[in-house]
Amino acid sequence: MPSWQRDESLNIRAAVSSRARVDPTVHRAHRIGAAHARAALCAFGWQGRSMVEGHSVHRVAAAHRTRLVGKAFQASSPNGRFAAGAAAINGRRFSRIEAVGKNLFAFFAVAGSPDVVVHVHFGMSGRWSVADAARAKEPTATSRLRLEGHGLVAQLSAMTVDYGGPELFAEKVAKLGSDPLRADADPEKLWERVSASQVRSVGLCHG
């Protein structure tokens, strides 16, 4: 873990420089200067501990692309709070996953039907773990979704888990706006949002 993730008091130049090494979009943000980049991250709610969460969501997406995407799973909702959503994706192929800000969007496909999109917002203590079936832990009272198959078990606990069609993804992304950690981020739209934000400090975010 980079040292800036363990110290919330580090300045934005160090933080953005760390991000720039792993994502070209953040590198572009870094080039506009530390103050402007800090404003960009603050405008998206990435302050202190939240900053780490935003980056962690992208790490989860990358890990799931490697282990889960391309496979079909049996889906269930151990605590019953996502029973309808689990039924909707049961047996479908996990075809794609996208991270936008602190949100994850998992796409489940089957021939002849529109994708089902599962939207996840972890909150402060959510987790989406993947383990070999032989080593998987039992579900807990917070386990909203469990995927099983191909020798793997994935278990999701999160503040928000909902589902819908492709329009759910389009509507959520339109409201969330451009994510500077994504390769498809629009610098002009990002700057418009930063300019319109109430963040003016070049130090740590407030609030």
Side-chain angles (χ1 to χ4, degrees):
M1 177 184 294
S3 61
W4 64 268
Q5 290 186 352
R6 297 191 297 268
D7 186 353
E8 295 180 2
S9 68
L10 289 181
N11 62 42
I12 184 57
R13 189 176 296 279
V16 175
S17 293
S18 281
R19 290 170 180 270
R21 286 195 293 270
V22 297
D23 191 283
T25 302
V26 183
H27 179 70
R28 292 197 298 272
H30 181 50
R31 291 178 62 186
I32 70 175
H36 290 165
R38 183 59 175 176
L41 296 176
C42 291
F44 279 84
W46 289 325
Q47 48 185 309
R49 191 175 302 171
S50 295
M51 186 187 296
V52 178
E53 287 181 0
H55 186 253
S56 295
V57 170
H58 283 263
R59 288 208 316 269
V60 171
H64 288 3
R65 288 187 191 106
T66 298
R67 302 199 72 185
L68 302 182
V69 167
K71 302 177 177 70
F73 295 95
Q74 297 301 306
S76 62
S77 180
N79 69 2
R81 296 184 60 191
F82 192 60
I89 65 174
N90 186 46
R92 285 179 170 242
R93 181 174 57 87
F94 196 147
S95 61
R96 172 184 164 200
I97 188 166
E98 299 289 345
V100 183
K102 297 180 184 178
N103 300 265
L104 277 176
F105 298 89
F107 292 71
F108 293 85
V110 67
S113 296
D115 288 353
V116 175
V117 180
V118 175
H119 167 230
V120 177
H121 190 295
F122 289 112
M124 293 300 295
S125 59
R127 184 180 183 186
W128 197 347
S129 64
V130 181
D132 293 335
R135 303 174 61 185
K137 296 180 179 180
E138 291 298 313
T140 69
T142 64
S143 298
R144 304 279 291 271
L145 175 64
R146 181 180 173 99
L147 301 176
E148 298 181 74
H150 304 276
L152 300 172
V153 174
Q155 301 197 81
L156 170 64
S157 298
M159 177 181 72
T160 299
V161 186
D162 55 8
Y163 75 103
E167 67 279 358
L168 173 66
F169 176 67
E171 291 169 2
K172 293 286 187 181
V173 169
K175 292 178 181 178
L176 291 168
S178 187
D179 177 352
L181 290 182
R182 289 178 59 89
D184 61 359
D186 185 327
E188 293 301 323
K189 289 184 178 179
L190 175 61
W191 182 242
E192 287 175 7
R193 182 170 178 180
V194 171
S195 300
S197 77
Q198 298 301 308
V199 178
R200 292 292 179 266
S201 172
V202 297
L204 296 177
C205 297
H206 299 287

